[in-house]
Amino acid sequence: MKRRHFLQFTGSTIAALSLSNLNNYAQVLAQATPRKLALLVGINKYPTNPRYVNLNGCVTDVALQEELLVNRFGFNRQDIIKLTSDSPLEFRPTRKNILQKFEEHLIKQAKPGDVVVFNFSGHGSRILDPNPIRDCSNAEFNDNYNSTLVVPDELQNDLAPDIMGRTLFLLRSALNTDNVTMLLDSCYSGGGTRGNYVIRSIPGDNLKPIPEEIAYQERWMKQLKLTPEELAKQRCAGTGKGIVIASAKRDEEAADVYFDGFHAGAFTYLLTQYLWQQTNTVDGTINQISDSVQKYGNTPFIDGNSKQPIYFINSKSTPPSDAVITKVEQSTITLWLGGVEADSLPTFQTGATFAAINNKGQASGKLQLTSPRNGLVATAKLIEPSKISILPGTPLKELSRIVPEDLRLNIGIDPSLANDITAASEALAKINRIQAVPAQTGNIPYPNGVEYILSRMTANYQAQLRKQYQGNLPPINSIGLFGEGLDIIPESFSQPGESVSQAVTRLDAKLKSLLATLIIKKTLNANSSQLDVEVAMNLAEQPNKIFARTATQQAKNNRQATQPQKLPLNKLFQFRVTNNTSENLHLAILLVDTSGGLVVAFPYKWNADDTQTLAPSQTLIIGEPSQLKLQAVQKGAAEALVIVSR
């Protein structure tokens, strides 16, 4: 794609924004009732013991949740208690502190109708259950184990100090409100690492609970007047208070992931980023983020009435935002960029701009980033107007971003290449904008992240992948590409006997296509675009049945995005793009196939003199069989990137 063509289709789409006095948005949130209480737990550091592996993103998860709850859902900071690995001793996430703070902060204070949130980010496990549930249709039970939250206390011989699922159920039951949300970003499957991801699980199958855990459960059963039989019946029926949202199913792996400048739980980051932009029910929220979370190897699941608003709070009165002001010190303004999509983060650097908005979503000032971003934290200054009252809690919407001119596709060099690591680096260096990244020792081979990993298929990798891939795996000693989480990039592996240099030459076109997609994705801005555009999909044989739909956030008719169904193989499909603005718009549609290949689906003929426009109120159908046949021919995940511009 020539540069001038790309600029034709991605030119500025920002409308002129009127300036008005800023309402105190924080005051609007503070008026909300009822009381909202939260206990947020994040454990990065575990004992130096063969059972444990340290994590990197759990403390970040706590910050992600805190800023969301305060600035989007109206929690008061003093009603949020954080227990993290880097907190003072009183607020370390030990077993004693977690249980004590749950009792004192949540159980003793919550009244009927209050909102309670408990968030745990750390390792999960399974240990032997002295009183297992039997004859239950729920697959969570019917074995000899109980799922647990792993705390950073030392093991006591073969006894684990973990907090068991039975204990969590009792603590939920003890709360005086039904508006309870438990978010658990941990898992009970896997352990160790998967590619560049650390898995939030550690083994415990041969361990038993400490006596204090059983005694603690018995105390609560007595206080709640529950017999062991009644407790087992309630747990089997799933009649606990509120809602539990877990990051992964029982046999899946929750990932601790490096994003651009910070580590976090993939589930927690994608959940909170979505909630800055959208209001939804619990099931609507999880349905919308599931595809994104599944890219990291896990599927979130819900236990409880999922038709409730997320966190039992209707936040429709709060405007969607990309960022929020957290601190103002003279002319320096600190921002939290929790609502920015992960793919777009590298473009929010010095010079990018935001509009401050009031509680009606109206622009009230313009800020510009003044320093390099530190994870999700950035500093800014007010540039328009020069004098205005900017307060912490003010939401922000993106105005402009800066796509770095030196964007590169980072390719990790897997240790399986052994003596060919140097040859691999040299071969990749010959391809423009491709950066080879050698693996480092330690749990995370590429601490600053990579997009893909060049590797040999080993027997160990085949063993890890058999559960995920039902069909034939690439042969041992073949060379190809993995994703960062050890997922196979389709059509990238060949046959054994190929040299590394030959493999890189063979992959040249695919690497360039993956690079082009990486760059284009930096322009995606459906949440911040000022255009009202809708895109829908349907099968050609069913033109009146919408298969999937998405729209810019400016869409006036509140059309909700839908979770795409699985696209049938070898069936013709179409796109319907509707321009709801009063202006002519330029349009391009790029398809990324299952192997990472990039295809221009529209315009059908692309040249410098071709001005493909979409008229006001027009719906354009792309994929009319007489012009273009679009069909899926291979299983896998694919994407459609739609670029619309004035």
Side-chain angles (χ1 to χ4, degrees):
M1 191 189 308
K2 293 184 178 179
R3 185 172 183 272
R4 65 175 182 273
H5 295 165
F6 180 72
L7 293 176
Q8 282 179 342
F9 287 90
T10 59
S12 173
T13 64
I14 304 302
L17 296 172
S18 61
L19 296 176
S20 60
N21 290 330
L22 179 67
N23 291 337
N24 188 346
Y25 181 65
Q27 289 181 356
V28 175
L29 284 178
Q31 293 170 2
T33 58
R35 191 178 185 189
K36 303 159 186 172
L37 302 167
L39 175 60
L40 312 179
V41 180
I43 308 174
N44 281 349
K45 298 177 183 177
Y46 283 89
T48 304
N49 181 295
R51 184 195 185 206
Y52 301 104
V53 174
N54 283 342
L55 297 169
N56 298 283
C58 300
V59 175
T60 302
D61 287 0
V62 168
L64 287 164
Q65 286 287 359
E66 180 185 22
E67 296 302 334
L68 179 79
L69 294 177
V70 170
N71 295 295
R72 181 73 160 139
F73 289 92
F75 281 63
N76 289 317
R77 253 181 234 278
Q78 59 265 34
D79 287 332
I80 299 175
I81 286 184
K82 300 173 292 182
L83 303 178
T84 67
S85 298
D86 55 6
S87 295
L89 195 60
E90 179 187 356
F91 294 97
R92 295 277 172 83
T94 62
R95 168 189 163 79
K96 176 183 176 182
N97 281 347
I98 293 171
L99 297 177
Q100 185 181 70
K101 300 301 183 188
F102 199 109
E103 290 189 33
E104 294 177 353
H105 184 60
L106 303 181
I107 294 176
K108 290 183 179 180
Q109 294 196 91
K111 296 179 174 60
D114 285 352
V115 169
V116 168
V117 172
F118 172 73
N119 185 100
F120 178 88
S121 288
H123 280 303
S125 189
R126 293 194 319 154
I127 62 175
L128 288 167
D129 190 342
N131 299 296
I133 297 175
R134 300 299 186 196
D135 302 320
C136 180
S137 59
N138 190 331
E140 174 71 16
F141 308 110
N142 283 331
D143 60 21
N144 295 320
Y145 298 98
N146 195 276
S147 299
T148 68
L149 306 181
V150 180
V151 295
D153 299 44
E154 292 282 357
L155 282 173
Q156 300 176 19
N157 297 320
D158 61 346
L159 304 178
D162 300 5
I163 297 173
M164 298 171 67
R166 182 182 289 111
T167 299
L168 286 182
F169 189 92
L170 289 165
L171 291 172
R172 287 164 64 197
S173 302
L175 288 159
N176 290 320
T177 178
D178 292 326
N179 301 334
V180 182
T181 303
M182 285 190 167
L183 293 122
L184 310 178
D185 199 342
S186 58
C187 65
Y188 314 111
S189 176
T193 60
R194 188 181 74 242
N196 207 39
Y197 303 154
V198 180
I199 303 306
R200 292 184 171 183
S201 172
I202 53 178
D205 289 359
N206 297 320
L207 299 175
K208 299 177 181 178
I210 57 175
E212 292 88 339
E213 177 73 356
I214 303 304
Y216 188 77
Q217 293 172 4
E218 291 172 348
R219 172 167 78 81
W220 273 112
M221 289 168 61
K222 182 178 180 180
Q223 194 164 332
L224 295 168
K225 298 179 181 178
L226 282 173
T227 65
E229 293 74 22
E230 290 170 335
L231 175 59
K233 184 178 179 180
Q234 288 186 19
R235 294 191 70 214
C236 182
T239 56
K241 284 186 177 179
I243 292 172
V244 177
I245 306 174
S247 61
K249 295 180 179 178
R250 192 178 192 187
D251 59 346
E252 294 179 340
E253 302 171 344
D256 199 86
V257 175
Y258 178 83
F259 293 96
D260 192 66
F262 64 97
H263 289 86
F267 166 72
T268 298
Y269 178 46
L270 294 170
L271 171 71
T272 55
Q273 190 278 323
Y274 171 83
L275 291 173
W276 280 100
Q277 302 289 351
Q278 303 287 343
T279 57
N280 214 327
T281 58
V282 174
D283 60 351
T285 297
I286 298 305
N287 283 338
Q288 286 300 315
I289 69 170
S290 282
D291 269 3
S292 298
V293 177
Q294 285 173 4
K295 293 177 182 178
Y296 298 95
N298 51 296
T299 307
F301 78 95
I302 307 163
D303 178 18
N305 182 2
S306 61
K307 301 302 180 184
Q308 299 285 347
I310 192 78
Y311 299 129
F312 294 88
I313 298 171
N314 186 341
S315 62
K316 290 184 179 179
S317 60
T318 62
S321 56
D322 301 308
V324 68
I325 294 174
T326 57
K327 186 187 298 183
V328 179
E329 293 179 332
Q330 297 179 345
S331 61
T332 300
I333 303 168
T334 303
L335 313 182
W336 177 261
L337 308 185
V340 174
E341 292 187 8
D343 284 333
S344 303
L345 273 173
T347 67
F348 289 89
Q349 49 185 306
T350 304
T353 59
F354 289 91
I357 57 177
N358 59 23
N359 60 310
K360 295 181 180 180
Q362 299 168 331
S364 303
K366 184 176 180 180
L367 290 78
Q368 185 177 62
L369 299 192
T370 57
S371 64
R373 176 177 47 83
N374 181 15
L376 290 171
V377 177
T379 58
K381 64 180 179 180
L382 182 67
I383 57 175
E384 292 180 16
S386 58
K387 292 184 179 180
I388 192 173
S389 178
I390 294 288
L391 301 173
T394 301
L396 307 172
K397 292 293 290 184
E398 173 199 349
L399 283 179
S400 68
R401 64 181 68 171
I402 297 174
V403 180
E405 62 181 2
D406 61 345
L407 268 179
R408 295 174 180 271
L409 189 73
N410 295 303
I411 306 296
I413 308 299
D414 192 79
S416 64
L417 296 178
N419 296 331
D420 295 320
I421 288 176
T422 300
S425 298
E426 291 174 349
L428 288 170
K430 295 177 181 178
I431 306 175
N432 189 32
R433 289 178 178 248
I434 303 296
Q435 179 73 47
V437 182
Q440 298 185 21
T441 57
N443 290 332
I444 304 177
Y446 313 103
N448 294 322
V450 292
E451 279 75 46
Y452 301 95
I453 300 170
L454 182 68
S455 175
R456 277 196 173 88
M457 179 62 72
T458 66
N460 181 48
Y461 288 159
Q462 279 198 348
Q464 291 185 59
L465 293 166
R466 281 199 183 97
K467 183 174 70 172
Q468 181 180 354
Y469 294 93
Q470 303 301 324
N472 293 328
L473 292 169
I476 292 175
N477 285 329
S478 61
I479 299 174
L481 294 172
F482 287 123
E484 197 174 11
L486 209 64
D487 48 309
I488 297 172
I489 304 304
E491 301 176 14
S492 68
F493 283 85
S494 184
Q495 294 299 315
E498 183 182 40
S499 71
V500 167
S501 298
Q502 290 171 331
V504 172
T505 299
R506 173 176 56 81
L507 292 168
D508 181 273
K510 181 179 292 292
L511 290 169
K512 289 175 179 176
S513 178
L514 295 170
L515 170 65
T517 302
L518 174 78
I519 295 172
I520 292 168
K521 282 188 173 183
K522 297 295 179 279
T523 72
L524 297 182
N525 65 341
N527 292 325
S528 55
S529 172
Q530 301 301 304
L531 300 178
D532 183 345
V533 178
E534 178 184 4
V535 183
M537 286 179 68
N538 61 270
L539 294 178
E541 64 189 37
Q542 297 176 312
N544 297 320
K545 186 176 180 180
I546 297 301
F547 180 83
R549 177 187 286 113
T550 190
T552 56
Q553 204 172 79
Q554 291 295 319
K556 297 180 178 65
N557 295 326
N558 290 322
R559 290 172 293 274
Q560 287 291 322
T562 60
Q563 188 71 9
Q565 306 167 37
K566 288 186 178 179
L567 184 64
L569 288 175
N570 303 313
K571 291 277 190 179
L572 297 180
F573 65 89
Q574 299 172 333
F575 295 98
R576 295 171 180 265
V577 185
T578 302
N579 174 10
N580 295 307
T581 75
S582 59
E583 306 171 76
N584 287 323
L585 299 178
H586 298 275
L587 170 68
I589 297 182
L590 310 174
L591 304 183
V592 184
D593 66 21
T594 56
S595 69
L598 189 67
V599 178
V600 178
F602 187 83
Y604 300 127
K605 295 180 180 179
W606 197 342
N607 59 67
D609 300 323
D610 213 358
T611 56
Q612 302 286 346
T613 57
L614 189 61
S617 302
Q618 180 187 5
T619 295
L620 185 63
I621 299 176
I622 291 99
E624 290 284 12
S626 61
Q627 296 175 301
L628 176 69
K629 291 181 173 61
L630 297 173
Q631 60 182 342
V633 296
Q634 180 175 318
K635 292 182 179 180
E639 293 180 277
L641 307 178
V642 182
I643 302 173
V644 185
S645 171
R646 290 192 179 92

